[in-house]
Amino acid sequence: MAEKPRLIHFTGIGDEEVGYISVAQSMRHVPFEIKRVYWVYQTPAHIERGNHAHISCVQLLVAVSGRIEVELENAKGEKERFVLSDPQQGLLVPVMHWRKIYLEDKAVLLCLASEEFDESDYIRDYEIFKSMCVQ
């Protein structure tokens, strides 16, 4: 699994006349087996989503519609900001990256996850995340 966040580009098949399709297959376009898929939508613009990290789940985030900003912080405290607004592009989020996600009006965020939902995989307290990073 990747240790550093990175953008992954998907090929868009089609044209302006009929529209496009992009494909994301496990272990081909996505560097892990996809075990869970979910999407976030109708989030008020003033709401900050995320505010957690994962111990073992890797995720690929795609803005299927609209504009989404993602701020990631790694175990060393280094922060990176990504803007997702192209459905042909996804952001690979490795484990142990604290995330803050901001969706603009009518944005839809698709998440492909390497693990099924498990509450014990979530770190939801920033201070606990920081303390785990020092170990």
Side-chain angles (χ1 to χ4, degrees):
M1 301 280 181
E3 294 178 2
K4 185 167 173 45
R6 65 184 166 100
L7 294 172
I8 294 176
H9 296 276
F10 305 108
T11 303
I13 304 163
D15 57 45
E16 289 181 13
E17 191 173 307
V18 297
Y20 296 89
I21 181 174
S22 291
V23 178
Q25 290 178 221
S26 293
M27 306 309 294
R28 184 165 177 195
H29 309 101
V30 178
F32 54 80
E33 180 183 349
I34 301 167
K35 294 187 179 175
R36 182 173 176 231
V37 177
Y38 66 89
W39 47 99
V40 179
Y41 55 96
Q42 294 181 353
T43 301
H46 67 280
I47 298 296
E48 182 180 271
R49 300 287 311 221
N51 287 307
H52 66 273
H54 288 280
I55 298 167
S56 60
C57 184
V58 177
Q59 296 180 327
L60 184 67
L61 307 178
V62 179
V64 293
S65 179
R67 184 175 187 276
I68 299 166
E69 290 188 28
V70 180
E71 181 183 290
L72 298 176
E73 180 178 345
N74 67 17
K76 296 177 185 175
E78 301 166 332
K79 294 181 181 180
E80 288 185 82
R81 195 169 195 91
F82 297 88
V83 175
L84 302 175
S85 60
D86 181 351
Q88 291 181 316
Q89 184 180 69
L91 174 60
L92 185 67
V93 181
V95 298
M96 292 305 290
H97 278 75
W98 189 265
R99 81 253 357 249
K100 293 181 181 181
I101 303 171
Y102 308 92
L103 289 83
E104 288 191 355
D105 188 42
K106 299 190 182 178
V108 178
L109 172 67
L110 174 70
C111 179
L112 308 177
S114 69
E115 304 299 325
E116 294 179 7
F117 177 79
D118 179 0
E119 183 61 37
S120 68
D121 183 56
Y122 284 74
I123 306 166
R124 296 189 186 273
D125 183 299
Y126 182 72
E127 294 306 317
I128 293 173
F129 168 74
K130 293 305 285 181
S131 70
M132 290 176 74
C133 293
V134 208
Q135 299 175 2

